[in-house]
Amino acid sequence: MVDPSEPVVLADPAVIAGLDYWRELPIKQQPTWPDAEAVAAASRQIASFPPLVFAGEVDDLRDKLAKAASGQAFLLQGGDCAETFAGATAEQIKNRIKTILQMAVVLTYGASKPIVKMGRMAGQFAKPRSSDMETRGDVTLPAYRGDIVNGYDFTPESREADPQRLVQGYHTAVSTLNLVRAFTQGGFADLREVHRWNQGFARNPANARYELLARDIDRAIKFMEAAGADFDELRRVDFYTGHEGLLMDYERPMTRIDSRTGTPYNTSAHFLWIGERTRDLDGAHIDYFSRVRNPIGVKLGPTTSPDDMRRLIDKLDPNREPGRLTFITRMGAGKIRDALPPLLEAIKEHEATPLWVSDPMHGNGLTTPNGYKTRRFDDIVDEVRGFFEAHHAVGTYPGGVHIELTGDDVTECLGGSEQIDEATLATKYESLCDPRLNHMQSLELAFLVAEELAAF
């Protein structure tokens, strides 16, 4: 993070010491490592590696999120529930980016605002679990906590937490980021090409209702070409990465001091969020993330009170800095219309401008009689609509969506124009954790969100 053209600013020793205060606090959702010294050695190795992202990129994102919080932009964040090491292939990464770019074009037109594009990528390797253990039949083993901790195979060897997976997680993130940057800066993201992909989607008879919007976008692009728009500039996009900041043996060694300002940045991603399971005000995660300069998200479930929200603001955004704090609501389709408005009303009293983002995935899970974890596409859509309705009623701005998706044609969520039913789930169910929208369902959701944005 050193720029030789700028003077190096040394960090206050108290700032550096504060980055480890979390070790004195209660902490949740950490694996039980069998060898403490091996974990410490892996963390030291990671601390010696180059940063994955840079402070200037993080600052740029914070500025864009500030615009989204004030209604001048909109955040689209999408990607895998849990990335796997085996899934970090060029084809799968390309398909995820392609899906997000396609969604972004539709949203840009619907919102008539810039879309901030962010992937749940290059670090979404760790997953919180509802139980430390998993039982199958008469065998009980540690729960699968993501590839950065242990393996999915239900064997004692696979399920033992392995510190070397921390190092492998770093290297997998590096290769993923290399591909992300190549695809988003090398012409793959050309606006005209992305639109052609969407035209194919809209021509499908099942998606006929979206064809008019696709035609409108087509006319707009042709007008831009006729008017001499600089399409060389539209061949590249800014694309940011984010993941849940969960595993402290990985996040802490990825924390570096910016040579320009002497302040700490977590360089594992541009954006990190704190899950509802780890957002205890007096816990380790909140304390650590309050000390880094990255924009920080916090998941809010339906039981969140206005006082909970106020205390989170005071801890994570004491200076009330636009772009610093994002609230990601995950309340469920049946609860959001009641649970969200009191929080939106209360925010007006705190002189804070958080970015409000809808996560319509995590509050709408269900398990089918044949044992598949799934979500109904209609519930996901309904929660998004409830999110927009709440903001419209209160007079605040709905600033983004946070979606678990894949660019592949999986069958993990029920419904959508493909009419996936319970019998179809088994056809191509590939997620190791939570069900994701497939490529077609993701695009359908983008067109629906665009309709909401156009009317807002």
Side-chain angles (χ1 to χ4, degrees), residues 149-197:
V149 175
N150 56 1
Y152 184 75
D153 291 343
F154 196 69
T155 65
E157 296 78 16
S158 174
R159 290 299 177 90
E160 182 174 279
D162 179 2
Q164 276 306 300
R165 286 177 171 267
L166 294 167
V167 178
Q168 189 176 357
Y170 171 89
H171 289 301
T172 306
V174 169
S175 61
T176 299
L177 268 172
N178 285 342
L179 285 167
V180 167
R181 287 173 170 142
F183 285 131
T184 57
Q185 300 298 314
F188 180 76
D190 188 306
L191 175 62
R192 294 163 294 185
E193 186 62 32
V194 174
H195 174 58
R196 278 193 284 271
W197 300 333

Side-chain angles (χ1 to χ4, degrees), residues 74-82 100 103 107 116 118-121 124 127 241-245 271-275 296-300 326-331 355-364 375 380 383-384 387-388 398-405 434-437 442 445 449:
F74 190 83
L75 172 65
L76 169 62
Q77 184 174 19
D80 262 328
C81 160
I100 293 170
M103 295 174 74
L107 295 176
V116 184
M118 187 189 302
R120 288 172 56 110
M121 298 172 70
Q124 185 60 22
K127 289 295 294 181
T241 63
H243 63 258
E244 180 175 357
F271 176 88
L272 297 112
W273 70 86
I274 305 165
I296 299 299
V298 183
K299 293 285 187 84
L300 301 181
T326 295
F327 283 137
I328 306 168
T329 62
R330 35 93 71 225
M331 297 178 169
L355 170 62
W356 290 95
V357 171
S358 172
D359 169 3
M361 309 295 292
H362 286 91
N364 294 304
R375 292 155 174 157
I380 292 167
E383 177 154 0
V384 171
F387 176 76
F388 276 88
V401 289
H402 178 113
I403 309 295
E404 289 186 338
L405 60 82
D434 293 334
R436 306 158 295 174
L437 295 180
S442 299
L445 181 64
V449 173

